[in-house]
Amino acid sequence: IPYLGMPILAQATALVLLFGWLGSFVILRWQPSRRILGFLLAAAIIGPHLLVGIGLKENVGRARPANIVEFGGWQTFTPAFVVSDQCQKNCAFVSAHVASSAFLMAFGWLGAPVMRRRWLWAGAGFAAILGLARMAQGGHFLSDVVFAYFAVYWGLWATEWLFRWRGWLPKQQNTY
């Protein structure tokens, strides 16, 4: 179920965010949420889609564990971040399933520090469970899982920086 369900859940989340953001231009009472919905939609595009799906997964070329010689396959092991020709499409580095599940942290990203930490831990927990399942299936190495989480984290950070730089979010207040 996680193998097939996670991509469907990720696509459904992106569609809900898209329609919510577009709806905020039509339904007046949704206007206060427009920037938050826009942030979440942009973060989903920048992190899990562009950075993970198009950037790393399709360009690094790392074979999946089940396909390497050491585990009975025919391909050569490649360390993380080393570009290889062992895989042409939908490669192992990094895990899109884990990136999609780690995106859960985005829902608390702009909240108060306590709320942000809760969502960070929820995203990490969900990503860890899905990552363990994908490693057990022979689909990913531990590094594929760990770096998928951090790719989403850095994608969220970059999206927040972009939105604040453009003035689409208020300047961050120090709450020491």
Side-chain angles (χ1 to χ4, degrees):
I1 292 179
Y3 184 77
L4 298 174
M6 198 63 226
I8 293 169
L9 181 61
Q11 291 168 355
T13 301
L15 283 174
V16 167
L17 290 172
L18 175 64
F19 288 128
W21 181 72
L22 291 173
S24 73
F25 290 94
V26 177
I27 302 170
L28 296 180
R29 67 175 182 255
W30 288 6
Q31 284 181 350
S33 302
R34 181 179 302 153
R35 290 181 179 181
I36 301 298
L37 290 167
F39 169 80
L40 291 170
L41 180 60
I45 292 168
I46 290 171
H49 183 66
L50 291 177
L51 185 58
V52 170
I54 294 173
L56 294 170
K57 196 165 188 59
E58 295 299 327
N59 292 302
V60 174
R62 185 181 201 187
R64 296 183 179 275
N67 297 338
I68 64 170
V69 173
E70 290 83 354
F71 295 120
W74 61 94
Q75 295 173 323
T76 305
F77 170 77
T78 308
F81 291 111
V82 174
V83 177
S84 169
D85 63 353
Q86 296 299 303
C87 174
Q88 304 305 317
K89 186 171 172 56
N90 194 22
C91 305
F93 189 79
V94 296
S95 172
H97 283 83
V98 171
S100 296
S101 61
F103 185 73
L104 185 62
M105 72 177 119
F107 292 97
W109 191 263
L110 299 175
V114 169
M115 190 61 64
R116 189 173 180 153
R117 275 191 300 275
R118 288 179 185 157
W119 284 96
L120 275 166
W121 281 109
F126 191 29
I129 291 168
L130 210 51
L132 286 171
R134 294 295 293 134
M135 287 187 300
Q137 294 169 336
H140 291 286
F141 296 100
L142 178 61
S143 56
D144 302 336
V145 171
V146 171
F147 287 114
Y149 177 83
F150 283 109
V152 174
Y153 181 88
W154 293 324
L156 282 164
W157 181 86
T159 305
E160 180 184 10
W161 178 86
L162 174 68
F163 269 54
R164 290 196 194 284
W165 176 70
R166 295 291 302 156
W168 298 333
L169 291 174
K171 297 292 180 197
Q172 203 166 10
Q173 301 291 324
N174 289 333
T175 55
Y176 298 108

